[in-house]
Amino acid sequence: MNMRTTLTIDADNAVRIKRLRKERDASLKTVVNELIRRALDDIETPGERRKPFKTKAVDLGKPLFNGPQELKELIARLDEEEDLRRLGFK
């Protein structure tokens, strides 16, 4: 069974289809049908089953701060140390 229809193709896809037609010296009908066939095959074929990715927990010790205020103070202290290092005082 053949189906005749009007299809609006986005500009980016049209450029790629035109390139494929040129590379393969094929008709628009042939290229579009091949693309549709491949896409449908890909969608209908279940992907290969992968093992779930797992990460190991690592104890990083006690945090350097215990709240937002302490974090701000730590950042300020680190910025100050970096500034002193850049100026050659450390």
Side-chain angles (χ1 to χ4, degrees), residues 15-34:
V15 170
R16 295 170 74 186
I17 290 170
K18 187 174 183 177
R19 189 177 312 128
L20 277 174
R21 287 183 64 199
K22 199 179 242 185
E23 287 173 5
R24 298 175 184 196
D25 190 30
S27 69
L28 178 62
K29 174 184 171 180
T30 301
V31 171
V32 170
N33 275 306
E34 181 182 344

mmCIF file of all heavy atoms in Angstrom, residues 15-34:
data_model
loop_
_atom_site.group_PDB
_atom_site.id
_atom_site.type_symbol
_atom_site.label_atom_id
_atom_site.label_comp_id
_atom_site.label_asym_id
_atom_site.label_seq_id
_atom_site.Cartn_x
_atom_site.Cartn_y
_atom_site.Cartn_z
ATOM 1 N N VAL A 15 17.780 20.492 4.773
ATOM 2 C CA VAL A 15 19.178 20.612 4.356
ATOM 3 C C VAL A 15 19.874 19.251 4.429
ATOM 4 O O VAL A 15 20.600 18.853 3.516
ATOM 5 C CB VAL A 15 19.924 21.649 5.234
ATOM 6 C CG1 VAL A 15 21.414 21.614 4.999
ATOM 7 C CG2 VAL A 15 19.362 23.039 4.989
ATOM 8 N N ARG A 16 19.634 18.536 5.502
ATOM 9 C CA ARG A 16 20.273 17.229 5.668
ATOM 10 C C ARG A 16 19.757 16.221 4.644
ATOM 11 O O ARG A 16 20.526 15.423 4.104
ATOM 12 C CB ARG A 16 20.044 16.724 7.098
ATOM 13 C CG ARG A 16 20.746 17.611 8.128
ATOM 14 C CD ARG A 16 20.351 17.287 9.543
ATOM 15 N NE ARG A 16 20.984 16.042 9.950
ATOM 16 C CZ ARG A 16 20.741 15.438 11.113
ATOM 17 N NH1 ARG A 16 19.894 15.986 11.970
ATOM 18 N NH2 ARG A 16 21.343 14.319 11.418
ATOM 19 N N ILE A 17 18.465 16.275 4.370
ATOM 20 C CA ILE A 17 17.886 15.363 3.366
ATOM 21 C C ILE A 17 18.445 15.691 1.986
ATOM 22 O O ILE A 17 18.796 14.781 1.216
ATOM 23 C CB ILE A 17 16.347 15.440 3.391
ATOM 24 C CG1 ILE A 17 15.819 14.814 4.678
ATOM 25 C CG2 ILE A 17 15.743 14.753 2.172
ATOM 26 C CD1 ILE A 17 14.336 15.045 4.922
ATOM 27 N N LYS A 18 18.555 16.971 1.687
ATOM 28 C CA LYS A 18 19.109 17.379 0.392
ATOM 29 C C LYS A 18 20.537 16.869 0.237
ATOM 30 O O LYS A 18 20.930 16.376 -0.825
ATOM 31 C CB LYS A 18 19.064 18.908 0.283
ATOM 32 C CG LYS A 18 19.447 19.433 -1.072
ATOM 33 C CD LYS A 18 19.246 20.938 -1.134
ATOM 34 C CE LYS A 18 19.552 21.450 -2.529
ATOM 35 N NZ LYS A 18 19.308 22.893 -2.639
ATOM 36 N N ARG A 19 21.325 16.962 1.313
ATOM 37 C CA ARG A 19 22.706 16.473 1.298
ATOM 38 C C ARG A 19 22.739 14.956 1.048
ATOM 39 O O ARG A 19 23.531 14.469 0.246
ATOM 40 C CB ARG A 19 23.390 16.812 2.624
ATOM 41 C CG ARG A 19 24.881 16.546 2.619
ATOM 42 C CD ARG A 19 25.584 16.940 3.910
ATOM 43 N NE ARG A 19 25.214 18.272 4.368
ATOM 44 C CZ ARG A 19 24.785 18.544 5.599
ATOM 45 N NH1 ARG A 19 24.669 17.596 6.496
ATOM 46 N NH2 ARG A 19 24.480 19.772 5.950
ATOM 47 N N LEU A 20 21.842 14.226 1.733
ATOM 48 C CA LEU A 20 21.779 12.771 1.522
ATOM 49 C C LEU A 20 21.391 12.424 0.097
ATOM 50 O O LEU A 20 21.950 11.507 -0.500
ATOM 51 C CB LEU A 20 20.764 12.140 2.490
ATOM 52 C CG LEU A 20 21.239 11.835 3.902
ATOM 53 C CD1 LEU A 20 20.072 11.364 4.761
ATOM 54 C CD2 LEU A 20 22.324 10.782 3.888
ATOM 55 N N ARG A 21 20.430 13.141 -0.445
ATOM 56 C CA ARG A 21 19.998 12.896 -1.825
ATOM 57 C C ARG A 21 21.164 13.066 -2.781
ATOM 58 O O ARG A 21 21.363 12.259 -3.684
ATOM 59 C CB ARG A 21 18.884 13.860 -2.215
ATOM 60 C CG ARG A 21 17.558 13.553 -1.586
ATOM 61 C CD ARG A 21 16.493 14.497 -2.063
ATOM 62 N NE ARG A 21 16.289 14.304 -3.515
ATOM 63 C CZ ARG A 21 15.717 15.186 -4.305
ATOM 64 N NH1 ARG A 21 15.284 16.330 -3.816
ATOM 65 N NH2 ARG A 21 15.556 14.939 -5.583
ATOM 66 N N LYS A 22 21.955 14.118 -2.552
ATOM 67 C CA LYS A 22 23.093 14.401 -3.420
ATOM 68 C C LYS A 22 24.162 13.310 -3.288
ATOM 69 O O LYS A 22 24.686 12.810 -4.277
ATOM 70 C CB LYS A 22 23.672 15.770 -3.059
ATOM 71 C CG LYS A 22 24.522 16.392 -4.123
ATOM 72 C CD LYS A 22 25.011 17.752 -3.663
ATOM 73 C CE LYS A 22 24.460 18.798 -4.599
ATOM 74 N NZ LYS A 22 24.976 20.135 -4.307
ATOM 75 N N GLU A 23 24.479 12.952 -2.036
ATOM 76 C CA GLU A 23 25.503 11.921 -1.781
ATOM 77 C C GLU A 23 25.129 10.582 -2.411
ATOM 78 O O GLU A 23 25.981 9.856 -2.905
ATOM 79 C CB GLU A 23 25.688 11.720 -0.275
ATOM 80 C CG GLU A 23 26.406 12.830 0.432
ATOM 81 C CD GLU A 23 26.407 12.648 1.937
ATOM 82 O OE1 GLU A 23 25.929 11.594 2.444
ATOM 83 O OE2 GLU A 23 26.869 13.573 2.635
ATOM 84 N N ARG A 24 23.852 10.239 -2.346
ATOM 85 C CA ARG A 24 23.397 8.922 -2.809
ATOM 86 C C ARG A 24 22.803 8.950 -4.210
ATOM 87 O O ARG A 24 22.404 7.910 -4.726
ATOM 88 C CB ARG A 24 22.368 8.368 -1.833
ATOM 89 C CG ARG A 24 22.965 8.167 -0.464
ATOM 90 C CD ARG A 24 21.954 7.733 0.512
ATOM 91 N NE ARG A 24 22.577 7.641 1.828
ATOM 92 C CZ ARG A 24 22.055 7.022 2.837
ATOM 93 N NH1 ARG A 24 20.879 6.447 2.718
ATOM 94 N NH2 ARG A 24 22.680 6.978 3.984
ATOM 95 N N ASP A 25 22.711 10.127 -4.767
ATOM 96 C CA ASP A 25 22.071 10.297 -6.075
ATOM 97 C C ASP A 25 20.723 9.577 -6.076
ATOM 98 O O ASP A 25 20.438 8.740 -6.923
ATOM 99 C CB ASP A 25 22.985 9.772 -7.191
ATOM 100 C CG ASP A 25 22.477 10.158 -8.574
ATOM 101 O OD1 ASP A 25 21.838 11.225 -8.691
ATOM 102 O OD2 ASP A 25 22.677 9.381 -9.519
ATOM 103 N N ALA A 26 19.917 9.917 -5.052
ATOM 104 C CA ALA A 26 18.632 9.235 -4.857
ATOM 105 C C ALA A 26 17.489 10.251 -4.876
ATOM 106 O O ALA A 26 17.690 11.449 -4.661
ATOM 107 C CB ALA A 26 18.647 8.505 -3.519
ATOM 108 N N SER A 27 16.307 9.751 -5.081
ATOM 109 C CA SER A 27 15.124 10.605 -5.094
ATOM 110 C C SER A 27 14.727 10.972 -3.668
ATOM 111 O O SER A 27 15.102 10.300 -2.702
ATOM 112 C CB SER A 27 13.968 9.878 -5.777
ATOM 113 O OG SER A 27 13.523 8.800 -4.970
ATOM 114 N N LEU A 28 13.933 12.032 -3.581
ATOM 115 C CA LEU A 28 13.414 12.448 -2.288
ATOM 116 C C LEU A 28 12.606 11.313 -1.660
ATOM 117 O O LEU A 28 12.748 11.008 -0.476
ATOM 118 C CB LEU A 28 12.542 13.700 -2.439
ATOM 119 C CG LEU A 28 11.878 14.230 -1.178
ATOM 120 C CD1 LEU A 28 12.922 14.653 -0.154
ATOM 121 C CD2 LEU A 28 10.947 15.384 -1.505
ATOM 122 N N LYS A 29 11.782 10.674 -2.466
ATOM 123 C CA LYS A 29 10.945 9.570 -1.977
ATOM 124 C C LYS A 29 11.808 8.458 -1.369
ATOM 125 O O LYS A 29 11.531 7.965 -0.272
ATOM 126 C CB LYS A 29 10.113 9.006 -3.135
ATOM 127 C CG LYS A 29 9.320 7.781 -2.780
ATOM 128 C CD LYS A 29 8.600 7.241 -4.008
ATOM 129 C CE LYS A 29 7.983 5.891 -3.713
ATOM 130 N NZ LYS A 29 7.295 5.328 -4.854
ATOM 131 N N THR A 30 12.881 8.089 -2.050
ATOM 132 C CA THR A 30 13.750 7.005 -1.569
ATOM 133 C C THR A 30 14.414 7.374 -0.247
ATOM 134 O O THR A 30 14.428 6.583 0.704
ATOM 135 C CB THR A 30 14.831 6.678 -2.624
ATOM 136 O OG1 THR A 30 14.176 6.296 -3.825
ATOM 137 C CG2 THR A 30 15.756 5.576 -2.157
ATOM 138 N N VAL A 31 14.960 8.584 -0.179
ATOM 139 C CA VAL A 31 15.668 9.019 1.032
ATOM 140 C C VAL A 31 14.708 9.135 2.209
ATOM 141 O O VAL A 31 14.988 8.643 3.307
ATOM 142 C CB VAL A 31 16.407 10.353 0.777
ATOM 143 C CG1 VAL A 31 16.958 10.928 2.072
ATOM 144 C CG2 VAL A 31 17.526 10.153 -0.226
ATOM 145 N N VAL A 32 13.558 9.772 2.006
ATOM 146 C CA VAL A 32 12.594 9.947 3.099
ATOM 147 C C VAL A 32 12.081 8.596 3.581
ATOM 148 O O VAL A 32 11.977 8.357 4.788
ATOM 149 C CB VAL A 32 11.438 10.881 2.676
ATOM 150 C CG1 VAL A 32 10.320 10.860 3.709
ATOM 151 C CG2 VAL A 32 11.943 12.291 2.468
ATOM 152 N N ASN A 33 11.791 7.694 2.672
ATOM 153 C CA ASN A 33 11.327 6.365 3.085
ATOM 154 C C ASN A 33 12.399 5.618 3.876
ATOM 155 O O ASN A 33 12.091 4.945 4.873
ATOM 156 C CB ASN A 33 10.874 5.542 1.876
ATOM 157 C CG ASN A 33 9.448 5.823 1.502
ATOM 158 O OD1 ASN A 33 8.551 5.728 2.334
ATOM 159 N ND2 ASN A 33 9.230 6.187 0.261
ATOM 160 N N GLU A 34 13.650 5.735 3.463
ATOM 161 C CA GLU A 34 14.728 5.075 4.205
ATOM 162 C C GLU A 34 14.854 5.674 5.606
ATOM 163 O O GLU A 34 15.007 4.939 6.595
ATOM 164 C CB GLU A 34 16.056 5.217 3.460
ATOM 165 C CG GLU A 34 17.201 4.530 4.185
ATOM 166 C CD GLU A 34 18.542 4.700 3.479
ATOM 167 O OE1 GLU A 34 18.571 5.081 2.297
ATOM 168 O OE2 GLU A 34 19.554 4.442 4.147
#
